[in-house]
Amino acid sequence: MTGDKPTMGADPFERNWMRFSIGLLLVFAAVITVAAFAMGFAVPGEHERVDPRTVTQSGPFATPGVKEIGPGEFEAYVVSRTFAFDPAEIVIPQGAKVTIYVTSVDVQHGFKITDTNVNMQVVPGHVSKLSYTFDRIGVFPYICTEYCGIAHAAMSGTVKVVPADEFEGGGA
Ligand code: CUA
């Protein structure tokens, strides 16, 4: 029975299946690679990774606060630490579109601005980012929403939205 067809390797049908299987494996590997890569940059609210031990030594978190980056456009950098936000006050003119960046130098905190949809988790090593346009004049407290220790409930600050003609620029 042996030796009737001394073919080298597999028959064409089997060879096609092998090609198909290898192709499938390559597709899976590609999908996993792409998914892992993409997911690393797609965590909601996450802007970028930072080192919580050095994040306040240089770069924008070294001088937290709000600044105008264009007409009516602002950037606010906020450092969270037990049990305070730095800065504790953000002053902006009515209608300001503010992109808020928040990070933590110690444990996990939350950052929620009352009466807005700004509500972020703040995780050490990460920068959370959200933009919001403040159309209403008033005082909007921001609070920590993640239990972070004994004085968690006292961890807060305020956004003050003032009439545009009263705004002096740069914040408090
Ligand atoms: Cu910070 Cu609770």
Side-chain angles (χ1 to χ4, degrees):
M1 290 293 274
T2 55
D4 261 9
K5 286 166 74 183
T7 46
M8 302 291 281
D11 68 44
F13 180 75
E14 208 172 323
R15 215 174 292 151
N16 281 340
W17 268 111
M18 282 163 67
R19 284 205 197 94
F20 179 73
S21 306
I22 290 166
L24 215 53
L25 283 175
L26 292 175
V27 168
F28 286 159
V31 166
I32 289 166
T33 305
V34 168
F37 183 79
M39 281 170 67
F41 294 89
V43 177
E46 181 180 322
H47 174 56
E48 60 182 31
R49 287 163 196 273
V50 291
D51 185 340
R53 292 163 299 182
T54 58
V55 69
T56 59
Q57 285 169 16
S58 63
F61 287 105
T63 53
V66 64
K67 69 167 189 268
E68 192 162 10
I69 55 170
E73 284 211 38
F74 292 76
E75 250 177 14
Y77 282 85
V78 179
V79 175
S80 317
R81 58 169 61 83
T82 49
F83 298 99
F85 291 112
D86 183 12
E89 186 178 78
I90 292 171
V91 182
I92 44 169
Q94 183 179 21
K97 184 190 178 206
V98 188
T99 304
I100 304 158
Y101 300 85
V102 192
T103 194
S104 168
V105 296
D106 43 41
V107 299
Q108 187 166 334
H109 299 279
F111 182 87
K112 177 181 163 65
I113 304 179
T114 312
D115 295 336
T116 72
N117 60 7
V118 177
N119 190 355
M120 298 185 266
Q121 283 203 313
V122 183
V123 180
H126 298 251
V127 178
S128 301
K129 174 190 175 186
L130 252 184
S131 293
Y132 187 80
T133 301
F134 291 85
D135 285 323
R136 284 182 296 139
I137 291 167
V139 175
F140 303 87
Y142 45 90
I143 56 170
C144 181
T145 50
E146 197 77 38
Y147 183 77
C148 55
I150 188 82
H152 154 72
M155 188 167 170
S156 66
T158 48
V159 174
K160 280 188 183 155
V161 183
V162 301
D165 58 359
E166 285 176 26
F167 180 72
E168 317 239 303

